[in-house]
């Protein structure tokens, strides 16, 4: 019988990761999670921005419907008038477009802006600027996450003929 020395015996190699390699992988995954997670977790800001864009579209559509009803009623050149929308609500108009008031917006959008947090949006009237500001209830009116509607005006400042400047709708989304 032949004896073999220990050197000539085949060695079983074990395959696997060392503890150092596992720690390095965990550290790399941790760095990726820290840098990528905030981008994916900031969904509320993206949702507020998308909702404001949708609301802006609703305001434009409703504003054009009110203007169409004003033209039919021949009130589109008047400084103040009222039209009735499909819900039966009266909308105060300025040169054929909705006035910059909470009541007008609630009527032509068929929504309710509550003073508490029960509504999704808040609305603030700025009478001196003939403007309303609409913003999500988790923000304040000065945040850059809002819609500003400035009502229509007469470019000729009351001298005939009336030259209507359409309302402006400015949407700010950088602060959402």
């Amino acid at each position: 019988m032949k004896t073999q020395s220990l050197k000539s015996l085949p060695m079983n190699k074990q395959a696997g990761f060392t503890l150092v390699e596992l720690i390095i992988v965990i550290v790399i995954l941790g760095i990726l999670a820290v840098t990528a997670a905030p981008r994916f977790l900031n969904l509320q800001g993206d949702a507020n921005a998308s909702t404001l864009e949708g609301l802006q579209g609703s305001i434009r559509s409703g504003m054009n419907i009110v203007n169409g009803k004003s033209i039919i009623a021949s009130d589109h050149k008047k400084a103040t008038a009222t039209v009735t929308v499909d819900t039966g609500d009266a909308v105060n108009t300025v040169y054929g477009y909705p006035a910059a008031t909470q009541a007008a917006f609630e009527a032509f959008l068929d929504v309710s802006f509550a003073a508490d947090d029960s509504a999704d949006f808040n609305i603030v009237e700025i009478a001196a600027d003939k403007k309303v500001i609409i913003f999500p209830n988790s923000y304040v009116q000065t945040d850059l996450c809002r819609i500003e509607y400035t009502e229509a005006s007469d470019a000729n400042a009351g001298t005939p003929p009336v030259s209507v400047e359409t309302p402006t709708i400015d949407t700010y989304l950088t602060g959402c």
Side-chain angles (χ1 to χ4, degrees):
M1 175 170 197
K2 230 170 149 185
T3 59
Q4 291 182 338
S5 67
L6 290 177
K7 285 184 178 179
S8 63
L9 288 176
M11 300 280 294
N12 288 339
K13 277 196 136 185
Q14 291 185 350
F17 295 107
T18 66
L19 184 60
V20 172
E21 290 171 330
L22 289 174
I23 290 174
I24 290 172
V25 169
I26 291 171
V27 167
I28 290 171
L29 289 174
I31 291 170
L32 288 174
V34 167
T35 57
R39 174 66 186 126
F40 295 112
L41 295 179
N42 188 14
L43 299 178
Q44 184 171 2
D46 293 343
N48 284 329
S50 296
T51 305
L52 280 177
E53 288 173 338
L55 182 60
Q56 177 192 21
S58 296
I59 291 170
R60 286 189 189 283
S61 296
M63 173 179 90
N64 289 329
I65 290 170
V66 168
N67 183 251
K69 288 183 174 280
S70 292
I71 291 170
I72 291 169
S74 296
D75 291 336
H76 60 289
K77 299 283 185 174
K78 294 181 180 177
T80 59
T82 303
V83 297
T84 303
V85 291
D86 294 340
T87 60
D89 295 330
V91 177
N92 293 331
T93 61
V94 175
Y95 298 109
Y97 292 95
T101 63
Q102 179 175 344
F105 271 71
E106 287 181 341
F108 85 88
L109 290 176
D110 195 23
V111 298
S112 177
F113 296 101
D116 55 13
D117 287 341
S118 64
D120 292 334
F121 294 97
N122 293 323
I123 188 168
V124 174
E125 294 179 28
I126 303 176
D129 294 335
K130 298 181 180 183
K131 158 189 309 192
V132 292
I133 298 174
I134 302 170
F135 52 96
N137 65 11
S138 55
Y139 293 85
V140 295
Q141 75 184 48
T142 55
D143 289 337
L144 290 178
C145 187
R146 67 180 187 266
I147 295 174
E148 291 183 4
Y149 172 90
T150 305
E151 69 185 20
S153 61
D154 180 5
N156 293 334
T159 59
V162 173
S163 176
V164 177
E165 286 187 7
T166 59
T168 59
I169 302 172
D170 297 314
T171 305
Y172 302 93
L173 304 175
T174 57
C176 292

